[in-house]
Amino acid sequence: MAARLRGRPAHAPGPTYLSYTPNGKKLITVGVNGALRVFQHGSDNEPAIIDVLTDGHTAVASTNDFIVVGAEDGSVTKYSLLTNSMEEILVRCSLPVRDVSLSKDGEWVAVASDELEVKVVNTRDMTRIMHLRDQSRPVKHVSFDVSGSTLAVSCTDGIVYMYSLSSEQPQLIKRVDGLIKTLETDVEASAKVAWHPDGRAFAAPTATRARSDWQRQKAFSGGHRADISAAAWSPNGALLATAGVDKSLCIWETRSQRLLKSYDDVQNAILAIDWHPTDNVCSYTNNNGELFIREDFVPGEHAKHLRIALQPAPMNNDPLSEISGNARKQVGNGDKPNGVRRSAEDQYLDDLLGPDAMSEDEMDFIEDDDGAGYAEETNHVGKRTAVANGGRPAKRHAPFATWNPQVHEAFQPGSTPWRGDRRYLCLNMTGFVWTVNQDTHHTVTVEFHDRQEHRDFHFTDPYKYDKASLNEKGTLFSCRPSSQTQQRAVLYYRPHETWTTRTDWRTQLPAGEEVTSMSLSESCIVATTSKGYVRIYSLFGLPLKVYRQKSMPAVTCASWRDYVITVGNGSVGGDGTTRMLYTIDNIRRDELCQSEDVVALGEDTELRSVFFSDKGDPCIYDTEGVLLILLHWRTPGQAKWVPLLDTKTMDRLASGRKDETYWPVAVANNKFHCIILKGSDVYPHFPRPLLVDFDFKIPVSSFPAGAADDEDRDAAQQKNLEEQYVRASLQHSLASDLVDNTNATSAQKAEVPVMEREVDKALLQLLAAECREGEERGMKALEIAALMRDRTGKMLEAAGKIAARFQRDILGEKITQLAERRLVGLVDEEDM
Amino acid sequence: MALPLPPGLTPSEVGFLCEMEHVTVIPRQTLDGLELLGGPTGALKPPFPTPLPLWLALLLKKQRRANITPPPWLSVDALTQILDFETDERTAELFSPSPNLPPATTTAPLEGDPYLAHDSLELSAPFLKDAATARAQADALPYHWLEIGHLLITHAPDDFEDLDAVRKLLRDLREVRMSKLRKGFEVLDAGGGVKMNGVGGMEIAEVRGFVGGVVDGLRKLNRSREESRKERETEERENGFGSSSYRDDEDEDML
């Protein structure tokens, strides 16, 4: 991770601040020089630059459409992100601006300057200004809560003023004294209040307080040795990132106030931190004009914290949308050493209320009471300030996420998301399709592995195709409907070879319908749509069938010859996520092979890809790195998922030095073909990486391959043979399934006896190993002999020979008996 | 009539021999299997990687019909690791070990080392399989490392991820190992020896002329002394002082 860390010189050396737009697409930085930079998320391109008249910028806040920037010359200016240009100067102060904060709806911006009053300006109508004049000294920070109805003003006199803005006339509802340190307006340390995304708590440099009664709730302590310079809750509130002027950077778990990780590679004091609203990315700027975009900010083992839904007050995640205004919170001063200890009352309360009570449950309770929707948790301070605040105006907002089942997103197997201006639309064993975003249009390139058979082609794509599917016969594209051009979703098929002049065709989907995934096989085209339909076309564009999927919304689909597998979201499981269900359909015979069966995925694992092997068996690959194949799927109700390979147990990872994952491409030639992804990459990128293949290894046992001594090696060998047996049996049943259920070719038919022999060979070797061990293992040896598939008796004969070679006479006799019984037709099924 | 060439293999001959090694090829077009003198090759079917003899792979590469996957030991990571081993103080005396021998193919059901059995045919370098394919061991240099590395870098430069780094590392490795070999020359004597475990074919070919010459020259210089010693020994033996010089004899026989 550290290797990926690179500072991006964003501005001239000096204090620099940043803000993510609520939709996470852009990141804006401001610094001392007269330019703003707009970074596109996930792109390494040079950021867009907005040249401005002001310099010495001290604060930035953003919505999806515009940003508000404060500068030392006292101006607060609004810039449009759509045109990357200045719109208007919202307000002008006589003294330098220190902080700006936008309410979540982007309606109001609060401006803190060295003047005594805080101005709250309407962003659309700059003549509408509210003045907050209760503080006695200049204000260092301002921070809107999630609802936008409460503004926390961190004053240099060490008091946090809470204003309610819900009425026309702003009202001071609370003075929180003793929470923050007394700081000058221009020091690096911060006293900014960071509202928890659920709105019931906030963190301040010295403490977190429950908002309802303004008492300090929990302290995040022990991580910093100096004043805190910035802090931010993760979008869901489960994590808190803080930075100190001692160049430390810490991640805390909200629920337990535990320090999860401390980064020590920070070079300069961090002045502003912001989490990306959705990804595991956190960015920060320092006082040297640099921006750091930290991917995989939360270490892998804790990354799950980021994925959970918005958590109740103290610590849960909240939706990204909430962060726009107040997600980025700066923690002010460093924590005070004494701030760490919890008071006896706190503990007593904890005991009464249970582990999370203070922070979460209590807050819920409180919130109901006051309706103001703000319970702050104070993180670091040791004292509680118990001041009942006067009437809280404020309609309460409902900051908690309502329970929402998590639905699996639709995806197109073999495609990758945009990275920079490129993405793969399809990457498989035939070739790959990639597209380049040229703003007004895309350019699509199709390349083949086999350059003799097909010729690569390239075209300009005004439709901006976002999905593609490629096989030996042709390429299928689809694009989204566009509201601007009134264009509908289109399927476009382009065959590679034709004997008439031109057979490529386009077909439009009905208005409002969008392709969520699609696939191309040798005989048909399948598309699942946002309306829940499965649409099947012939290769020449003739619609063959339309039916509604039983489990919706659709996740993905794949096809092989006449078989179509569609995966959709089914009922909701215990963990709040839907179970994925699949259906396999033979469209020519109009038969359901499997109907609404479960895609067997473990807890917390996601489907990464669905595809058919080269022999036509459905395979899935999950985020845990396990490749599974569907066995007996041609008989309804008989299907089961069998693991073929657990990439985490592969020998190449045994040393623990390699940090890599695999991106599935295909199962072919009895091998798993994939692309190796280094580090934390999730998708392959350009230049096109090489395909790598791995042999199957069914996770029968985990035995280290490089065992040192002989005994271990023997045991490893034994395990190896066992795995070989299980794998050969699996392949045998796959092959015999194929032959039994289809008009198999002679080659396929010949494969069944070959696989049978493989099974028996593995058994013979196991038998030899047992014989070598000694006479006392005879029973097991006989069991192994009884498992032989061969009905001609030759294998049992060979088994008898092995027994004789090791002079296991009794075993030999029993094997001979077994062979005789089989020969005369006394089938030993009941024996087994 | 004697050939004008010095005894042993010349570097170009070693280079020729190494072209029999198999490398992994990613074909760019289909080709049926070929029945070659060295054995049949697998059918090429893009994009499945297939092992092919190096000479054929280079031929296909030149015609842009295939890409060659460099063996794992020819990656920057692996070469750096090997170079670290070579330059580490603790292992300064040693050459990095050659790849592990494959497990014995001859099954010896009873006790005894299969390598010593009379009917066993166990291969060792340079006849090991998969020394330069994608399945090769990543942390060891095979016998033909220098030749294969050179050929791949020259003829398939676009198949390397970081060509310059690989080239530089190969050169470093070569120099480190040659200097080790040269250090061994200092102890060359009529009775001296240099341990050459893990040394590659090209390296042997390179030093053969010099070492052979030196040892021969020393032998010639020492001939008179040796002859006199032999005479003395014969005398001693005749006089009944039997086995005292057994070890000396053995040492001399070594060269």
Side-chain angles (χ1 to χ4, degrees):
Chain A
M1 207 186 314
R4 303 169 59 85
L5 180 67
R6 61 208 183 282
R8 304 180 196 219
H11 297 281
T16 309
Y17 301 88
L18 84 165
S19 169
Y20 268 111
T21 59
N23 59 12
K25 288 192 179 145
K26 291 176 178 173
L27 169 66
I28 296 95
T29 63
V30 301
V32 292
N33 60 347
L36 319 178
R37 295 192 154 218
V38 182
F39 292 81
Q40 295 285 342
H41 176 65
S43 155
D44 281 341
N45 289 353
E46 271 298 297
I49 295 175
I50 308 178
D51 285 313
V52 298
L53 301 173
T54 53
D55 52 13
H57 302 109
T58 52
V60 59
S62 61
T63 68
N64 285 338
D65 300 330
F66 65 89
I67 53 174
V68 173
V69 175
E72 276 183 352
D73 66 358
S75 66
V76 174
T77 319
K78 178 180 168 188
Y79 298 91
S80 165
L81 280 180
L82 304 174
T83 59
N84 280 357
S85 61
M86 180 176 133
E87 284 194 348
E88 59 184 337
I89 292 180
L90 288 177
V91 66
R92 205 179 266 286
C93 307
S94 53
L95 291 169
V97 172
R98 292 301 170 194
D99 197 9
V100 296
S101 176
L102 272 168
S103 61
K104 185 186 160 195
D105 54 8
E107 188 94 349
W108 295 93
V109 60
V111 179
S113 67
D114 283 359
E115 293 173 20
L116 290 190
E117 63 173 25
V118 170
K119 293 172 180 160
V120 182
V121 188
N122 190 296
T123 53
R124 274 181 245 156
D125 178 6
M126 54 184 271
T127 56
R128 291 175 64 195
I129 297 187
M130 292 189 264
H131 298 270
L132 314 177
R133 298 197 170 92
D134 286 298
Q135 50 280 351
S136 56
R137 300 199 47 198
V139 169
K140 185 161 167 55
H141 297 285
V142 285
S143 176
F144 269 105
D145 82 339
V146 182
S147 65
S149 61
T150 308
L151 180 71
V153 174
S154 309
C155 185
T156 49
D157 58 5
I159 298 176
V160 179
Y161 294 81
M162 292 292 167
Y163 288 95
S164 164
L165 303 178
S166 48
S167 56
E168 268 308 297
Q169 195 55 44
Q171 207 172 359
L172 178 67
I173 48 177
K174 174 74 186 159
R175 273 191 186 87
V176 185
D177 201 355
L179 173 62
I180 55 172
K181 239 172 149 175
T182 308
L183 290 168
E184 283 311 311
T185 52
D186 53 353
V187 296
E188 280 176 359
S190 150
K192 180 152 180 159
V193 164
W195 290 97
H196 187 276
D198 86 343
R200 292 174 303 169
F202 65 75
T206 51
T208 9
R209 293 172 179 262
R211 175 163 181 191
S212 56
D213 56 357
W214 306 108
Q215 293 205 347
R216 162 166 171 258
Q217 291 290 322
K218 303 276 185 190
F220 292 85
S221 55
H224 296 288
R225 288 177 307 280
D227 284 356
I228 288 178
S229 56
W233 296 99
S234 69
N236 60 3
L239 300 168
L240 176 72
T242 60
V245 293
D246 59 349
K247 295 169 187 145
S248 53
L249 176 60
C250 299
I251 308 177
W252 308 82
E253 187 191 0
T254 322
R255 181 180 291 278
S256 60
Q257 295 89 53
R258 201 156 47 91
L259 179 62
L260 290 187
K261 174 143 178 92
S262 176
Y263 286 98
D264 50 7
D265 50 0
V266 179
Q267 308 279 329
N268 295 91
I270 294 170
L271 292 186
I273 303 183
D274 206 354
W275 294 79
H276 186 270
T278 46
D279 296 349
N280 183 5
V281 173
C282 189
S283 300
Y284 51 83
T285 49
N286 59 23
N287 59 5
N288 195 30
E290 289 168 315
L291 164 71
F292 290 83
I293 297 177
R294 202 145 195 161
E295 292 172 5
D296 300 295
F297 182 59
V298 180
E301 65 268 30
H302 300 305
K304 60 177 190 310
H305 288 300
L306 276 180
R307 294 196 296 269
I308 48 185
L310 170 59
Q311 299 215 339
M315 350 226 140
N316 290 344
N317 310 338
D318 70 356
L320 300 179
S321 57
E322 300 215 18
I323 34 175
S324 65
N326 42 4
R328 174 170 72 99
K329 307 149 185 192
Q330 298 195 339
V331 177
N333 317 336
D335 41 8
K336 307 164 178 175
N338 64 348
V340 178
R341 247 175 280 128
R342 289 222 242 140
S343 64
E345 292 98 313
D346 276 335
Q347 284 174 1
Y348 176 65
L349 259 183
D350 265 359
D351 289 346
L352 277 182
L353 294 171
D356 283 328
M358 294 209 94
S359 41
E360 307 186 8
D361 300 339
E362 187 190 28
M363 293 185 161
D364 282 349
F365 173 75
I366 288 163
E367 207 185 24
D368 285 343
D369 274 353
D370 63 7
Y374 42 93
E376 351 163 328
E377 358 163 341
T378 57
N379 276 348
H380 295 233
V381 180
K383 333 163 199 170
R384 12 168 93 199
T385 58
V387 184
N389 32 6
R392 288 184 208 117
K395 55 198 177 214
R396 43 175 317 127
H397 68 293
F400 309 114
T402 50
W403 182 77
N404 234 339
Q406 298 225 326
V407 174
H408 298 281
E409 293 277 317
F411 68 91
Q412 172 74 14
S415 70
T416 70
W418 289 104
R419 187 156 145 198
D421 54 356
R422 287 160 185 240
R423 62 178 285 205
Y424 291 105
L425 294 179
C426 180
L427 214 167
N428 61 21
M429 294 309 267
T430 309
F432 42 100
V433 183
W434 49 280
T435 182
V436 182
N437 185 358
Q438 315 271 20
D439 285 338
T440 55
H441 61 278
H442 292 178
T443 49
V444 176
T445 309
V446 180
E447 289 184 50
F448 295 93
H449 294 300
D450 191 339
R451 285 194 291 224
Q452 180 189 35
E453 193 73 23
H454 308 286
R455 182 174 298 185
D456 298 351
F457 62 92
H458 175 91
F459 62 91
T460 306
D461 158 29
Y463 296 94
K464 304 195 178 180
Y465 296 121
D466 67 335
K467 291 185 180 62
S469 189
L470 174 72
N471 70 3
E472 265 99 41
K473 290 211 169 165
T475 325
L476 175 70
F477 297 95
S478 82
C479 66
R480 273 165 206 263
S482 153
S483 53
Q484 289 170 354
T485 57
Q486 302 298 319
Q487 176 201 323
R488 297 188 188 158
V490 170
L491 280 176
Y492 168 50
Y493 179 69
R494 185 188 192 281
H496 297 148
E497 276 177 19
T498 59
W499 43 271
T500 53
T501 46
R502 181 185 167 90
T503 53
D504 58 341
W505 51 267
R506 273 172 231 278
T507 184
Q508 286 192 342
L509 262 53
E513 207 164 331
E514 193 178 325
V515 177
T516 53
S517 68
M518 57 178 199
S519 89
L520 171 66
S521 79
E522 288 161 40
S523 52
C524 67
I525 285 167
V526 185
T528 62
T529 69
S530 54
K531 290 239 170 113
Y533 291 118
V534 179
R535 296 178 176 273
I536 297 171
Y537 299 88
S538 78
L539 286 187
F540 293 94
L542 190 69
L544 298 177
K545 261 170 217 182
V546 180
Y547 60 88
R548 179 161 276 178
Q549 215 173 336
K550 288 180 196 161
S551 46
M552 286 186 293
V555 175
T556 189
C557 66
S559 56
W560 186 78
R561 300 209 180 145
D562 295 330
Y563 293 103
V564 174
I565 178 170
T566 53
V567 181
N569 286 289
S571 56
V572 179
D575 55 352
T577 55
T578 55
R579 307 287 302 271
M580 268 193 253
L581 302 180
Y582 71 90
T583 300
I584 301 179
D585 195 359
N586 183 322
I587 51 156
R588 178 169 300 171
R589 280 187 262 165
D590 211 2
E591 279 174 4
L592 278 186
C593 295
Q594 300 294 327
S595 176
E596 302 306 306
D597 196 7
V598 174
V599 178
L601 290 176
E603 203 175 318
D604 283 345
T605 50
E606 291 275 331
L607 190 61
R608 178 58 66 74
S609 187
V610 176
F611 49 91
F612 278 89
S613 74
D614 60 340
K615 291 187 186 136
D617 295 305
C619 300
I620 56 172
Y621 187 82
D622 65 19
T623 45
E624 290 288 295
V626 183
L627 173 73
L628 300 133
I629 195 165
L630 196 58
L631 183 63
H632 302 316
W633 54 274
R634 289 182 183 86
T635 324
Q638 292 294 313
K640 58 180 87 146
W641 292 102
V642 184
L644 271 181
L645 177 70
D646 185 350
T647 54
K648 288 207 173 144
T649 62
M650 285 200 296
D651 293 343
R652 53 186 283 124
L653 293 176
S655 66
R657 264 177 295 139
K658 279 192 178 133
D659 177 19
E660 58 184 33
T661 50
Y662 308 93
W663 195 78
V665 176
V667 166
N669 288 356
N670 278 330
K671 280 184 179 159
F672 172 52
H673 296 264
C674 59
I675 288 171
I676 296 181
L677 303 171
K678 293 270 159 57
S680 54
D681 286 357
V682 186
Y683 294 100
H685 196 56
F686 295 85
R688 186 174 58 93
L690 288 176
L691 291 175
V692 182
D693 55 276
F694 295 114
D695 287 324
F696 299 146
K697 186 162 179 274
I698 294 179
V700 171
S701 61
S702 65
F703 216 88
D709 48 281
D710 284 356
E711 209 165 294
D712 279 2
R713 210 176 301 148
D714 277 355
Q717 177 81 5
Q718 171 86 6
K719 296 290 171 203
N720 220 350
L721 286 173
E722 288 171 4
E723 190 270 337
Q724 214 172 311
Y725 166 65
V726 177
R727 179 154 41 92
S729 320
L730 169 67
Q731 281 168 342
H732 176 250
S733 46
L734 284 174
S736 51
D737 266 10
L738 178 74
V739 169
D740 292 347
N741 288 288
T742 59
N743 298 325
T745 62
S746 56
Q748 284 165 335
K749 280 181 183 150
E751 200 182 346
V752 178
V754 171
M755 289 323 300
E756 200 172 279
R757 229 166 303 145
E758 283 298 315
V759 175
D760 287 353
K761 246 196 255 171
L763 284 174
L764 275 187
Q765 280 175 296
L766 277 173
L767 181 75
E770 290 304 324
C771 289
R772 198 177 315 155
E773 285 298 316
E775 189 77 50
E776 70 280 3
R777 306 282 279 269
M779 299 254 299
K780 188 173 176 192
L782 184 62
E783 184 199 56
I784 291 172
L787 288 174
M788 300 266 181
R789 309 253 166 142
D790 180 56
R791 295 296 162 205
T792 61
K794 273 189 193 149
M795 280 297 171
L796 280 177
E797 204 175 303
K801 276 187 194 155
I802 289 175
R805 187 148 131 225
F806 288 96
Q807 286 137 26
R808 311 285 179 229
D809 296 333
I810 308 172
L811 176 65
E813 268 172 41
K814 298 224 178 221
I815 291 179
T816 322
Q817 277 174 14
L818 181 69
E820 281 166 1
R821 288 185 53 184
R822 281 201 181 176
L823 264 188
V824 297
L826 284 171
V827 187
D828 45 349
E829 262 158 21
E830 54 269 54
D831 298 349
M832 292 163 80
Chain B
M1 201 188 124
L3 278 170
L5 290 172
L9 297 173
T10 62
S12 58
E13 285 166 336
V14 177
F16 175 76
L17 285 182
C18 95
E19 291 190 12
M20 292 308 293
E21 288 282 332
H22 279 65
V23 291
T24 301
V25 150
I26 297 171
R28 307 301 261 134
Q29 65 185 57
T30 46
L31 179 70
D32 289 337
L34 300 173
E35 294 292 334
L36 300 175
L37 279 180
T41 65
L44 300 187
K45 192 166 172 288
F48 298 105
T50 321
L52 281 188
L54 180 59
W55 64 267
L56 182 56
L58 291 178
L59 192 70
L60 292 176
K61 173 75 198 171
K62 257 178 228 163
Q63 298 172 348
R64 301 169 46 79
R65 291 173 203 270
N67 288 73
I68 302 177
T69 315
W73 51 263
L74 208 53
S75 68
V76 176
D77 286 348
L79 287 178
T80 318
Q81 199 188 336
I82 294 170
L83 186 64
D84 284 349
F85 180 91
E86 295 272 357
T87 50
D88 194 310
E89 276 180 16
R90 287 163 293 176
T91 52
E93 303 293 306
L94 302 174
F95 293 96
S96 65
S98 43
N100 297 336
L101 292 177
T105 48
T106 331
T107 45
L110 302 175
E111 302 308 310
D113 194 335
Y115 292 99
L116 300 179
H118 287 294
D119 54 347
S120 75
L121 177 64
E122 299 299 342
L123 300 180
S124 65
F127 304 107
L128 291 180
K129 275 192 178 168
D130 285 338
T133 60
R135 302 192 174 275
Q137 199 177 331
D139 54 354
L141 293 177
Y143 187 70
H144 284 303
W145 67 273
L146 189 53
E147 308 88 294
I148 292 177
H150 176 75
L151 283 174
L152 289 186
I153 282 181
T154 1
H155 292 106
D158 50 334
D159 291 334
F160 284 88
E161 254 178 50
D162 193 351
L163 180 68
D164 289 335
V166 170
R167 185 183 284 142
K168 183 170 154 287
L169 281 167
L170 269 187
R171 190 170 302 162
D172 286 354
L173 263 179
R174 187 187 124 95
E175 277 169 17
V176 168
R177 289 165 64 104
M178 281 311 283
S179 78
K180 278 187 192 179
L181 271 178
R182 261 182 247 119
K183 217 177 276 169
F185 300 161
E186 291 167 11
V187 300
L188 278 186
D189 196 352
V194 183
K195 196 176 177 189
M196 291 172 73
N197 291 12
V199 174
M202 187 61 88
E203 289 161 304
I204 291 178
E206 274 182 74
V207 300
R208 190 197 308 271
F210 179 74
V211 174
V214 168
V215 173
D216 269 356
L218 284 172
R219 193 177 273 270
K220 274 177 204 151
L221 287 178
N222 289 337
R223 185 184 289 159
S224 59
R225 202 169 62 188
E226 247 176 76
E227 273 168 6
S228 65
R229 191 175 62 179
K230 270 195 189 139
E231 270 168 31
R232 199 172 61 235
E233 278 167 9
T234 344
E235 269 173 36
E236 278 171 0
R237 208 168 292 149
E238 281 164 6
N239 294 343
F241 297 99
S243 54
S244 66
S245 56
Y246 172 71
R247 284 200 59 83
D248 295 346
D249 277 347
E250 198 189 41
D251 279 353
E252 284 159 22
D253 290 344
M254 270 178 65
L255 277 178

